[in-house]
Amino acid sequence: VYRSSLTRKLQVKAGETTYPVLLSDFKRQLQTHLGDSRIVAVVSNPKVFALHGAAFIDNCLAGKRYAIEPVLMGDGERFKSQKTINNLHHCFFEIGLNRTDTVITLGGGVVGDTAGFAAATFKRGVNLVQVPTTLLAMVDSSVGGKVGINHAYGKNLIGAFYQPRAVLTDPGFLGTLGRREMIEGVAEILKAGFLSGRRFLRAAGDMPLQYSAAKRDYFTGIISEAIRFKAGIVARDPYDAGLRQILNFGHTFGHAIEKVEKYRRYHHGEAVLAGMAAALHLSRLSGLLSNDEANECLHFLSRFVSHLKPLGKDPDDYLVPMEVDKKRMGEDIVCVMLNGIGRPVVGPVRSRKRLKESIQFMIEFVKRKGVV
Ligand SMILES: NC(=O)c1ccc[n+]([C@@H]2O[C@H](COP(=O)([O-])OP(=O)(O)OC[C@H]3O[C@@H](n4cnc5c(N)ncnc54)[C@H](O)[C@@H]3O)[C@@H](O)[C@H]2O)c1
């Protein structure tokens, strides 16, 4: 069991702003961040609101002097759109939301990114509190202040940097999360482990795929460690000028999988999980990771990779989207690799043979259900 010091809150510094991630004592701590709000809009989707809306409002908001206004948006990536922003703004006008009022996002990354962007742009910005309910949103999308929506030209292309007043991170929400969504969050936690070192990686490798109240301390510990890791990178690179690139470990291959599998067979986090196997093999082929270290890392992926569907295509098919990826530099494809556990390097890779071999390795690793 992994136990970090069970902190009640963490501070995240991004640019000029610092905001807290609340990890316990939610109602009391949250109240101080609602300021003089007369209206608190709780934006969620029908699924999350049905599961957690009433309890969240009862436990964290009820009994105070403001009006609580639930606002629902659609569930799914396709609702991360301009149309949803228009609808949310319309609802905010209808309920009479003002700049001193607060928008709370209650949901996964889709609700957080979309409603966060609606809050950032409504009357030039109203108070925002993020309440992530998926593991991915807890450790990744709610940390760093990026909010936004998709465009026909690509994902996340319209958006802003907008820091929340606070983030309320309660692992209790994970009790209703499906296994696939849990694995997506685990992928990001393992990624943070590979990038930060063995101690964290070992703890991440023990992640259960089902939350229960008995495991609350473990979850709080590992989630806060992952937030601390991402917050450390964000503090050094608040506007994504360079260092944040290392967070793309596994993503160049992962994006290729998502594209080739047409965003259906593989969810984003599942693709990143498989993509990290390719990135580890590429690090080995490039002489950065020893054979032992690469195998040690792959062992941490095994248990989770065993849940993935086989990758259906040939290595060449996955190489095609990498050739047109925005992370290309001339003839080179930019990949994040490991120069030892906890030592990421961003490197241009020219050899298509090496990339193809890494993809081939990934396909076989998934097919063997993660047996190293
Ligand atoms: N802003 C950032 O820095 C950043 C970083 C990473 C990812 N993202 C974005 O995050 C999004 C993905 O987020 P996600 O993986 O949370 O997906 P999601 O928000 O679509 O949630 C996944 C599914 O889980 C459901 N759900 C949410 N909480 C639940 C709970 N507690 N119990 C049961 N079901 C629950 C949702 O309704 C949804 O159907 C993508 O749009 C991605 O671009 C943003």
Side-chain angles (χ1 to χ4, degrees), residues 1-306:
V1 173
Y2 180 65
R3 277 175 188 279
S4 78
S5 54
L6 287 181
T7 344
R8 279 161 39 136
K9 68 176 169 191
L10 296 169
Q11 294 292 342
V12 178
K13 186 176 178 318
E16 304 302 303
T17 353
T18 301
Y19 67 87
V21 177
L22 315 176
L23 295 159
S24 69
D25 193 14
F26 300 117
K27 187 168 189 173
R28 197 188 59 76
Q29 293 207 74
L30 184 59
Q31 293 309 322
T32 60
H33 298 286
L34 297 178
D36 297 327
S37 301
R38 286 176 315 103
I39 299 171
V40 174
V42 180
V43 184
S44 191
N45 69 37
K47 180 177 176 184
V48 175
F49 199 76
L51 288 167
H52 298 289
F56 170 70
I57 289 173
D58 270 4
N59 297 338
C60 296
L61 294 175
K64 299 290 166 183
R65 269 175 301 157
Y66 40 70
I68 300 161
E69 299 279 1
V71 175
L72 297 187
M73 57 173 276
D75 185 5
E77 186 70 30
R78 72 195 168 91
F79 290 99
K80 236 176 104 168
S81 65
Q82 195 65 59
K83 191 170 171 207
T84 306
I85 295 295
N86 290 343
N87 290 342
L88 290 176
H89 285 164
H90 183 80
C91 291
F92 294 168
F93 281 118
E94 291 275 300
I95 60 176
L97 201 75
N98 271 314
R99 292 204 54 199
T100 50
D101 296 326
T102 301
V103 168
I104 296 184
T105 66
L106 176 71
V110 167
V111 168
D113 280 13
T114 314
F117 186 53
T121 44
F122 187 72
K123 299 187 178 177
R124 296 196 179 80
V126 296
N127 298 332
L128 172 66
V129 171
Q130 298 257 25
V131 183
T133 61
T134 63
L135 186 57
L136 180 123
M138 290 178 191
V139 299
D140 193 359
S141 62
S142 70
V143 187
K146 284 188 191 175
V147 290
I149 53 172
N150 301 326
H151 189 275
Y153 273 87
K155 276 191 72 179
N156 297 323
L157 291 183
I158 308 296
F161 287 98
Y162 193 68
Q163 306 302 336
R165 281 291 174 101
V167 178
L168 188 159
T169 300
D170 179 357
F173 288 119
L174 303 178
T176 54
L177 199 65
R179 193 173 66 189
R180 288 188 81 178
E181 285 73 25
M182 199 66 141
I183 287 179
E184 293 199 78
V186 168
E188 294 299 338
I189 293 180
L190 283 168
K191 181 191 81 181
F194 287 130
L195 299 176
S196 68
R198 266 194 186 79
R199 190 184 69 88
F200 183 18
L201 189 54
R202 287 203 181 109
D206 289 340
M207 283 291 293
L209 288 176
Q210 179 66 52
Y211 172 87
S212 70
K215 297 172 194 151
R216 189 179 180 94
D217 284 358
Y218 169 87
F219 272 88
T220 305
I222 194 98
I223 289 168
S224 22
E225 195 83 0
I227 295 172
R228 237 184 237 123
F229 168 75
K230 185 167 178 196
I233 308 277
V234 168
R236 287 155 66 199
D237 182 15
Y239 301 113
D240 210 352
L243 181 68
R244 273 203 205 192
Q245 265 193 70
I246 63 164
L247 300 174
N248 283 327
F249 182 64
H251 282 59
T252 307
F253 296 101
H255 287 149
I257 296 175
E258 280 186 279
K259 273 216 178 118
V260 171
E261 306 291 346
K262 301 199 165 48
Y263 297 96
R264 279 197 295 267
R265 198 171 154 80
Y266 263 65
H267 289 181
H268 172 75
E270 295 173 319
V272 170
L273 193 65
M276 288 192 291
L280 288 167
H281 192 63
L282 181 66
S283 310
R284 167 161 56 194
L285 293 176
S286 307
L288 295 167
L289 271 189
S290 70
N291 200 34
D292 286 351
E293 274 180 316
N295 286 340
E296 182 187 351
C297 289
L298 288 163
H299 273 297
F300 288 110
L301 293 178
S302 296
R303 184 158 61 87
F304 308 107
V305 163
S306 69

Side-chain angles (χ1 to χ4, degrees), residues 355-372:
L355 287 168
K356 240 192 265 180
E357 261 182 73
S358 305
I359 296 169
Q360 181 68 48
F361 176 84
M362 165 181 84
I363 294 171
E364 279 163 20
F365 186 61
V366 174
K367 196 160 142 200
R368 291 196 306 269
K369 299 263 165 223
V371 174
V372 179

